[in-house]
Amino acid sequence: MAYDLNKFFKAISDPNRVKIMELLKDKELNVSEICQHFDMQQPSVSHHLSVLKNADIVSSAKRGKEVYYRLDSICITNCCNGFQEQFVEIEKLK
Amino acid sequence: MAYDLNKFFKAISDPNRVKIMELLKDKELNVSEICQHFDMQQPSVSHHLSVLKNADIVSSAKRGKEVYYRLDSICITNCCNGFQEQFVEIEKLK
DNA sequence: TTTATACATAGGAATGTATCTATATAATAT
DNA sequence: ATATTATATAGATACATTCCTATGTATAAA
């Protein structure tokens, strides 16, 4: 089944989720580490992580008790480029 | 004041609004013409247009009784590129 | 094998969003 | 002036989303 661009944009149109993505920009973090950067409770962070994961923006790996999340930057590139190409003439995209 | 990327992504994370953008891809249309492509009532279309306009994704011009809308593709390019650059190393963006 | 820790899931309250109908406003035609 | 047409706005309702607390599950430690 095709990737749902709408799901991607819904996922990134929340400031807390974008902040999570920024935290994961160049390092993996587990849920507790992510929580330390927010006032939200842990289940709320887990919810945002599940939205991001469901859109393939992050992936996760369990190691011991912790679950580590990482950013999938290829997905961001593909979605942003794909969306642009839907609306902007290719030659305008330098 | 700085442009609100979150407002842009909220605006484009609705399939009806994306469809409006597609309709406006290479021609201006007035509200009635846009309405013909939807099952929604005219006030709902007006609402979606106002969300798009508020995010600077479309602009409008009144001519006689009609209001014509057009796509602002520069905004799309800037937002998509800006967002990517926030998360993806520049050199990875070919 | 009980206890503690890390995380996810369930359920509910508050808030936001999409859509409708009804109505207001603005431009044009009669 | 009045009626008609195009669009926007207001208000109501249904639905979606965010956040919370409470609880379940899996792993590790005691």
Side-chain angles (χ1 to χ4, degrees), chain A residues 24-88:
Chain A
L24 296 178
K25 189 187 167 193
D26 28 40
K27 55 184 174 303
E28 288 192 340
L29 292 174
N30 65 41
V31 179
S32 304
E33 290 167 332
I34 295 170
C35 283
Q36 289 165 13
H37 295 83
F38 290 93
D39 288 335
M40 287 183 291
Q41 298 305 304
Q42 172 266 318
S44 301
V45 171
S46 272
H47 164 70
H48 287 306
L49 286 168
S50 83
V51 172
L52 290 170
K53 189 173 177 183
N54 203 254
D56 294 321
I57 296 170
V58 302
S59 56
S60 66
K62 185 159 192 170
R63 285 204 290 280
K65 273 180 300 188
E66 286 90 32
V67 177
Y68 283 83
Y69 282 85
R70 62 191 297 287
L71 193 65
D72 182 1
S73 64
I74 276 293
C75 173
I76 299 172
T77 305
N78 288 345
C79 290
C80 289
N81 288 342
F83 187 75
Q84 274 190 80
E85 284 160 17
Q86 201 172 341
F87 296 106
V88 184

Side-chain angles (χ1 to χ4, degrees), chain B residues 27-31 33 59-70:
Chain B
K27 55 183 174 304
E28 288 192 341
L29 291 174
N30 64 41
V31 179
E33 290 167 331
S59 56
S60 66
K62 185 160 192 170
R63 285 204 289 279
K65 271 182 302 188
E66 287 90 34
V67 177
Y68 283 83
Y69 283 85
R70 61 190 299 288

